[in-house]
Structure formats: C-alpha cells, structure tokens
Amino acid sequence: MLHFSKISSKGKDFNIIASGALAFKIHNKILKDECFEQDTSISRHMLLGNSSMPASTPGQKKIFFVIISDLDKINTASLCRMIAKERANGGYAVCQIIPMLYNEPSFRALKMLRQSFDEVLELGKFTINTSKVLVNTEQQNCIITDYSLSMARIMYQVCLKDFSSAAASEPSRKELAYAGV
C-alpha cells in the first residue's frame, strides 16, 4: 500500500509517496511541517495494487518524492510503471530508500527503482566521522527523518520556483559591463 499526497500551491503540484511504517511516519511529519501548510491545499490518497495516481492538470510537469522503508512489501513494478509514465510526460522523480533488510527481493527491487527514477538515494547506517556507527536505532530514525524533511523542503521550493522566467528578466553580466555598472 502506498500513501500518496499532493501538495498544491501557486498552480504547481508537489507529490509525496510513502511505503512502509517509517516512511509513513516521515510522510506525516513532512505534511505537518509549517513550510507545507502555508497557502497550500493538501490531498491525501491511498494507492492499492495497480491503482493509478489521481489526475491533475494536463500537460503539467510533476515532481515526485518517494520514500520507501520496506522494499519487500510493495509492488515495485507497479510503482515503477506509474513513475515511468510521469517521467515520460516531463516529470521528475526522486526515490529515497531506507533499507530494513538486505535480501535478494530487495536487491532486485532496488535495481528496478534505479532504472525508473531520476535519482535513488539509499540511506543506510549512519556513521560519525566515518568511523563509529550509530547504534541506537532511534538516533538513526531521527537523522533519517530530519534528512528527509530537509530534502522534501528543498524539492518543494524548487517545484514552486520558476527559474526560467527569473533568468530571462535579469540582464546578463555582459549587458551590465557595457552599461558601465
């Protein structure tokens, strides 16, 4: 089961998909963050099996942030098909994986995800100064949650900004040099 949320603001949609218990907790924390609550509308859905994502504005490029904390329990093939269809329409998709188990099905799922997404980030055991592994699972979950929340904020802000119109309105450095500025 996938938890799907669409955050709409300024005519643009930012999509978050979560699968797994830890991913669902992170998903809820993201939606409760004040950055996502200002001037937005949030719609939440649950995607079961082969159901497709809710339709939005035709021709609109979408950004997806997918958080998976249990690769064994999702239908990776159907998720990859949905994302591939959105990417074919000009969408951008980032997948963050929090591995719980390392086994053959999860390795196959990870390979499929790497082929279907623009970026796949695998968050494993965190270390301090690359020497001592954090032992406390709760500390790791807090670090992963903070990282995920920061990543979602960055992707959301990039989604809302229209850099092409801002770049077109600013004069180039050469123009400023010739003007004596």
Side-chain angles (χ1 to χ4, degrees):
M1 173 175 23
L2 299 172
H3 300 275
F4 175 79
S5 295
K6 179 169 59 171
I7 303 171
S8 301
S9 181
K10 299 179 184 178
K12 297 183 181 178
D13 295 338
F14 177 67
N15 304 284
I16 301 174
I17 301 174
S19 174
L22 181 57
F24 182 65
K25 288 178 186 176
I26 293 170
H27 176 263
N28 284 335
K29 188 165 184 167
I30 289 171
L31 294 180
K32 291 176 183 172
D33 188 71
E34 64 185 38
C35 173
F36 300 100
E37 290 181 344
Q38 297 173 350
D39 302 323
T40 63
S41 66
I42 298 174
S43 59
R44 297 180 75 153
H45 305 280
M46 291 176 66
L47 305 176
L48 302 170
N50 292 327
S51 62
S52 61
M53 287 180 267
S56 65
T57 311
Q60 182 183 32
K61 294 180 181 177
K62 300 178 193 173
I63 292 183
F64 292 89
F65 182 47
V66 179
I67 306 168
I68 301 172
S69 62
D70 193 354
L71 278 175
D72 292 339
K73 297 196 176 180
I74 69 165
N75 186 351
T76 309
S78 65
L79 173 64
C80 288
R81 280 193 300 275
M82 288 189 311
I83 294 297
K85 189 182 345 174
E86 295 297 334
R87 284 183 65 212
N89 293 332
Y92 187 78
V94 172
C95 182
Q96 175 183 293
I97 300 166
I98 306 161
M100 298 296 175
L101 296 172
Y102 287 103
N103 55 24
E104 187 61 32
S106 65
F107 286 131
R108 278 189 257 123
L110 187 58
K111 181 179 178 184
M112 190 181 305
L113 291 168
R114 284 190 178 125
Q115 294 170 349
S116 302
F117 281 79
D118 292 298
E119 296 290 334
V120 175
L121 307 167
E122 186 177 354
L123 303 181
K125 292 184 177 182
F126 285 92
T127 59
I128 300 172
N129 296 334
T130 65
S131 60
K132 183 178 178 185
V133 176
L134 290 176
V135 178
N136 189 345
T137 306
E138 192 62 36
Q139 285 179 319
Q140 288 181 357
N141 290 345
C142 288
I143 292 171
I144 289 170
T145 301
D146 289 344
Y147 178 83
S148 302
L149 185 57
S150 297
M151 182 81 158
R153 284 182 190 144
I154 291 167
M155 290 183 65
Y156 177 67
Q157 293 302 323
V158 168
C159 174
L160 292 182
K161 304 286 184 210
D162 188 7
F163 292 108
S164 60
S165 64
S169 65
E170 292 180 13
S172 69
R173 289 182 183 224
K174 288 182 181 177
E175 292 171 352
L176 290 174
Y178 291 127
V181 177

